[in-house]
Amino acid sequence: MKIAIIGTGVYSTALTYHLQKMKDNDIYLWTEKKELANQFKKQRKFEMLSKNIKFDSNIFVTDDFETTLKDASAIFILVGSKYFLNTLEEIKPHYKKNTPIFVGTKGMDLENQKFYSDITRKYLKCNSYAFFAGPTFAKDLIQDYPFALTFACSNSISYKKLERILPEYVDTECTYDLYGLEIMAVLKNIYAIGGGILNGLKVTDSVKYTYLTKVLKECQKILKKCHGNNETIISYGGIGDFFMTTNSKTSRNFNLGKLIGSKAKKSEIEEFEKKNTIEGLESLKQCQELIKKWHLQNTILNELYEIIINKRDPKELTPKIKEKSETF
């Protein structure tokens, strides 16, 4: 079986390290960098990963979409959120509608208030779509430890296909709550900035975990507004990814918040933003219209917007956490 992967970032290449273990499959990765394709052909490795990891003969890298997608039985899209819509345009001329698509790009078109699942299925007219997420950092994926992923599928075809794609040691679970898993992937990056702010403020563990509890309650309200399922919170792509991102010092979103909370110099914060893709920051800028649409008031999301975008004192996040929560 031929598997196409769009993107050669750290996560997609680390995932390929595991996919190559299914020896009956050939894996084609598309890259926009021709020099990377040439380098891989010579060295059989990716410089952004450990230099000790060499890839097998069933892995190919090319800068040509047609070569990547021709006769593919499954397509993985793993590009940055800001490149997602453009990637769909590049894929369309070569896409066959019965080919399952697996998307690991975390986000949605917040500006137009549309989920990537709706956009992709309408634009490509694909019959089988899945979004996946889980507590998996790229740096951890290149080690030979088990890991877990949640797949939100449009139908059972996508999930059944995974049996031929993923090694048995990958723990997978399936849900049909596409909207719920997608919005959780957006929210966890935003709330991770808040987790970093609290770390920078050097608050107690009690305050940190009160914050996490409150934002999970806020997620329940938001899931209801976008017709998601609250059970999605208790999944690998929900609470698993959520706790990992909001607590991890290797998260770019968390580290931006830490700089803000510790009142780092403006130049240091701007330099960090310039050098890193911080998806939670972009999502925070765009999600205010959704908050208004859903009539959500007095939210931690709003408080984070005021602190991060409007440069209010990060200490104001702590009084927000102390406010009494609504009862269920």
Side-chain angles (χ1 to χ4, degrees):
M1 182 170 68
K2 178 179 177 179
I3 301 169
I5 298 180
I6 309 301
T8 48
V10 180
Y11 192 92
S12 57
T13 51
L15 183 62
T16 301
Y17 171 69
H18 293 277
L19 299 185
Q20 71 177 344
K21 296 181 182 182
M22 302 293 280
K23 299 300 182 183
D24 291 336
N25 296 329
D26 289 330
I27 304 169
Y28 282 72
L29 291 92
W30 175 85
T31 178
E32 63 179 359
K33 301 174 182 177
K34 190 170 185 176
E35 61 273 20
L36 189 149
N38 292 334
Q39 183 184 58
F40 181 85
K41 189 174 182 180
K42 294 176 182 177
Q43 301 180 357
R44 307 299 304 172
K45 61 185 180 180
F46 296 100
E47 291 298 324
M48 75 281 285
L49 300 181
S50 170
K51 294 182 179 180
N52 297 323
I53 296 179
K54 285 201 172 184
F55 285 78
D56 296 337
S57 59
N58 61 334
I59 309 298
F60 307 89
V61 181
T62 175
D63 64 336
D64 180 62
F65 270 104
E66 183 176 5
T67 300
T68 305
L69 296 168
K70 185 178 180 181
D71 299 324
S73 297
I75 299 169
F76 282 74
I77 301 178
L78 288 156
V79 298
S81 295
K82 63 182 178 181
Y83 305 114
F84 187 80
L85 300 181
N86 184 62
T87 298
L88 293 183
E89 293 180 8
E90 297 283 0
I91 288 174
K92 189 173 184 178
H94 313 289
Y95 177 71
K96 294 181 180 179
K97 70 175 184 178
N98 291 323
T99 308
I101 292 179
F102 299 90
V103 174
T105 301
K106 294 174 173 61
M108 59 184 289
D109 184 1
L110 289 164
E111 187 174 351
N112 295 304
Q113 301 178 18
K114 292 182 178 180
F115 288 93
Y116 284 163
S117 55
D118 287 339
I119 295 170
T120 305
R121 286 184 287 176
K122 182 177 180 180
Y123 188 70
L124 295 182
K125 296 180 172 60
C126 64
N127 295 327
S128 185
Y129 179 99
F131 169 72
F132 64 96
T136 54
F137 279 141
K139 71 177 184 64
D140 298 329
L141 277 181
I142 59 173
Q143 302 182 52
D144 290 313
Y145 290 115
F147 60 96
L149 295 168
T150 303
F151 286 82
C153 306
S154 60
N155 53 47
S156 62
I157 295 172
S158 299
Y159 194 64
K160 289 179 180 178
K161 182 77 74 171
L162 291 173
E163 295 177 2
R164 296 182 57 192
I165 295 175
L166 294 172
E168 288 186 0
Y169 60 79
V170 181
D171 187 357
T172 62
E173 59 183 6
C174 178
T175 174
Y176 296 108
D177 184 19
L178 271 166
Y179 291 170
L181 195 63
E182 285 178 296
I183 197 67
M184 283 298 294
V186 173
L187 294 174
K188 58 100 178 179
N189 284 328
I190 299 174
Y191 290 128
I193 303 176
I197 289 173
L198 294 177
N199 185 277
L201 290 170
K202 294 182 168 45
V203 299
T204 64
D205 286 345
S206 299
V207 174
K208 291 176 186 176
Y209 285 98
T210 299
Y211 167 79
L212 292 175
T213 305
K214 282 181 174 286
V215 295
L216 282 173
K217 289 182 177 181
E218 194 163 292
C219 286
Q220 287 182 315
K221 297 177 186 177
I222 294 171
L223 279 171
K224 185 177 180 180
K225 293 292 186 180
C226 69
H227 308 291
N229 188 334
N230 271 344
E231 290 185 6
T232 300
I233 292 178
I234 312 300
S235 69
Y236 296 132
I239 200 169
D241 200 2
F242 186 91
F243 277 134
M244 180 187 74
T245 308
T246 53
N247 280 292
S248 177
K249 294 178 182 179
T250 61
S251 162
R252 294 185 295 268
N253 296 290
F254 180 93
N255 283 319
L256 172 64
K258 185 177 180 180
L259 288 173
I260 294 170
S262 60
K263 296 191 175 180
K265 292 180 180 179
K266 181 181 178 182
S267 59
E268 186 179 354
I269 295 173
E270 290 176 347
E271 183 68 15
F272 183 82
E273 291 178 6
K274 184 179 178 180
K275 288 183 176 180
N276 295 278
T277 299
I278 307 168
E279 294 187 337
L281 181 61
E282 294 305 313
S283 297
L284 181 61
K285 291 176 181 177
Q286 296 176 26
C287 75
Q288 297 308 299
E289 289 303 315
L290 275 178
I291 292 173
K292 292 176 184 176
K293 175 184 176 181
W294 291 335
H295 304 291
L296 295 171
Q297 297 179 349
N298 200 30
T299 63
I300 290 176
L301 282 178
N302 278 327
E303 194 68 28
L304 290 173
Y305 186 88
E306 292 300 323
I307 291 168
I308 297 164
I309 307 301
N310 291 336
K311 312 301 180 186
R312 286 233 307 256
D313 189 340
K315 288 183 179 179
E316 293 186 23
L317 182 59
T318 306
K320 178 66 182 176
I321 295 169
K322 291 179 181 177
E323 288 181 8
K324 186 174 181 180
S325 298
E326 295 180 16
T327 56
F328 289 94

